[in-house]
Every structure is written in C-alpha cells, then in structure tokens.
C-alpha cells in the first residue's frame, strides 16, 4: 500500500466531523517509513518512540475532547469510544475495527494498524504507536485510571492483521 484513498462516502462523512474539516495532509507509507528511519538514525530508537508515544496519546485525548465539545450529550462510554476509534479509521491509522464489551471491560480489535503497514513503527514487537492512541482515547473516555493492554499482537486473519487491546475502565 502506498497510501490510502478515501471513498466518496467516507469523504461525505468527514464533512460531518468538525475535527476533520481543518484539512488533511496525506503522505505515503514509504515517506513515513523514511521519516521514521531518519529520526531513529539521528535521535535513537528509544527517543523516537518516546516522542511518538506521547504524541499519539495526546492525539487520542484531543479526539475525545473534541467529540465531547462537539456533542456535550455524548456521555455513553460505548458510543464515545466507538466514535473516537472511528476517527482513527478516518485518519488512516487503522483500516477497520471491532469493539466488544466483556465483563465491564472493552476489547477492541484493530485491523491493519499503521504498524502492520509501516514496519519501522513497530517497537519492541508490539503496536506501541496504536497503543498510545488507545491510551489517550481510554483516558479521555474513562479518566486517568483506565488501563490499556495489548492482549493480542498482530494476529493474521486471511490477508489482514489485527491487534486486540483490552481497556479496563
């Protein structure tokens, strides 16, 4: 995959989401790979991932904050979580998702995460960038005590890969 294309249906849906109206810069996965490799060679792998983790977590929190500002009545955690993950999909961070509630926890399968498409983003054999977004989203939805754990890493399902994250509110 060299990048992602947005369908007309998705483009129309984007128009309804204020967060996506500010504009969009789309770079290819190859370009992102080059940026990451260059940053690693200059700053070192750990420093790059610490930066990316904090940037992703902040983005996750801002997604939830914006959704709440746009619709203050959006207090149902299930719906808020679903809308936040949908924005990750619109942003191209994941291709699709499945959310299940199990015993008061949420299990989220994220298919074809950015790490499965840009291998230099994989860090210490897990989807740490995607986890950082999920940490920020969980904190925004449930507060600072929410815990996010990657319980399945890059499982293959046909041509797709998925990671499963468990959120404990």
């Amino acid at each position: 995959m060299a990048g992602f294309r947005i369908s007309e249906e998705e483009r129309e849906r984007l128009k309804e989401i204020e967060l996506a109206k500010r504009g969009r810069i789309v770079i290819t996965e190859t370009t992102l790979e080059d940026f990451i490799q260059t940053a690693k060679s200059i700053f070192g792998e750990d420093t790059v991932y610490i930066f990316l983790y904090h940037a992703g977590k902040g983005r996750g929190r801002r997604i939830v904050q914006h959704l709440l500002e746009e619709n203050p009545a959006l207090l149902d955690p299930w719906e808020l979580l679903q809308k936040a993950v949908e924005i990750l999909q619109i942003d191209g961070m994941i291709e699709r998702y499945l959310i299940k509630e199990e015993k008061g926890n949420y299990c989220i399968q994220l298919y074809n995460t950015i790490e499965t498409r840009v291998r230099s983003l994989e860090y210490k054999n897990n989807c740490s960038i995607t986890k950082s977004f999920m940490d920020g989203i969980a904190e925004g939805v449930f507060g600072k005590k929410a815990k996010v754990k990657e319980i399945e890493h890059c499982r293959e399902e046909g041509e797709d890969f998925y990671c499963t994250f468990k959120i404990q509110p």
Side-chain angles (χ1 to χ4, degrees):
M1 251 185 238
F4 74 91
R5 293 180 189 212
I6 193 163
S7 70
E8 285 303 314
E9 180 180 299
E10 288 178 54
R11 192 176 309 280
E12 287 303 312
R13 197 170 57 164
L14 275 174
K15 290 178 185 175
E16 297 173 17
I17 300 174
E18 184 65 35
L19 188 62
K21 286 184 180 177
R22 288 196 265 163
R24 186 169 293 296
I25 298 172
V26 178
I27 63 172
T28 66
E29 291 165 358
T30 303
T31 301
L32 181 58
E33 182 88 35
D34 289 346
F35 287 168
I36 297 300
Q37 292 299 350
T38 301
K40 284 180 184 178
S41 70
I42 295 169
F43 303 110
E45 185 175 59
D46 289 341
T47 301
V48 169
Y49 285 101
I50 289 168
F51 167 76
L52 290 172
Y53 174 81
H54 288 285
K57 186 174 181 181
R59 172 71 173 147
R61 280 193 310 258
R62 284 188 302 278
I63 286 170
V64 173
Q65 180 183 9
H66 186 83
L67 287 169
L68 289 169
E69 287 171 0
E70 212 173 60
N71 184 357
L74 188 62
L75 297 177
D76 176 47
W78 175 265
E79 188 178 359
L80 188 54
L81 186 60
Q82 189 167 348
K83 286 187 179 298
V85 172
E86 186 175 309
I87 289 175
L88 292 183
Q89 181 182 25
I90 291 167
D91 281 351
M93 298 302 295
I94 60 171
E95 286 186 1
R96 60 189 172 92
Y97 63 92
L98 176 66
I99 302 175
K100 298 182 248 179
E101 188 176 2
E102 296 176 356
K103 300 177 186 172
N105 298 315
Y106 296 88
C107 286
I108 304 170
Q109 286 181 336
L110 302 175
Y111 288 82
N112 300 324
T113 65
I114 191 76
E115 290 91 348
T116 64
R117 300 186 320 265
V118 180
R119 285 297 182 180
S120 65
L121 286 173
E122 190 174 65
Y123 181 64
K124 296 187 179 180
N125 203 28
N126 66 39
C127 292
S128 58
I129 304 306
T130 301
K131 183 182 181 302
S132 71
F133 281 93
M134 296 309 300
D135 282 343
I137 288 170
E139 187 177 298
V141 173
F142 301 107
K144 290 193 183 278
K145 293 184 181 185
K147 291 185 173 85
V148 178
K149 183 176 181 182
E150 184 176 3
I151 58 174
E152 291 182 302
H153 172 69
C154 290
R155 298 284 175 116
E156 195 168 352
E157 186 179 275
E159 294 182 14
D160 293 331
F161 288 91
Y162 71 89
C163 296
T164 303
F165 294 89
K166 182 178 183 178
I167 297 177
Q168 296 174 304

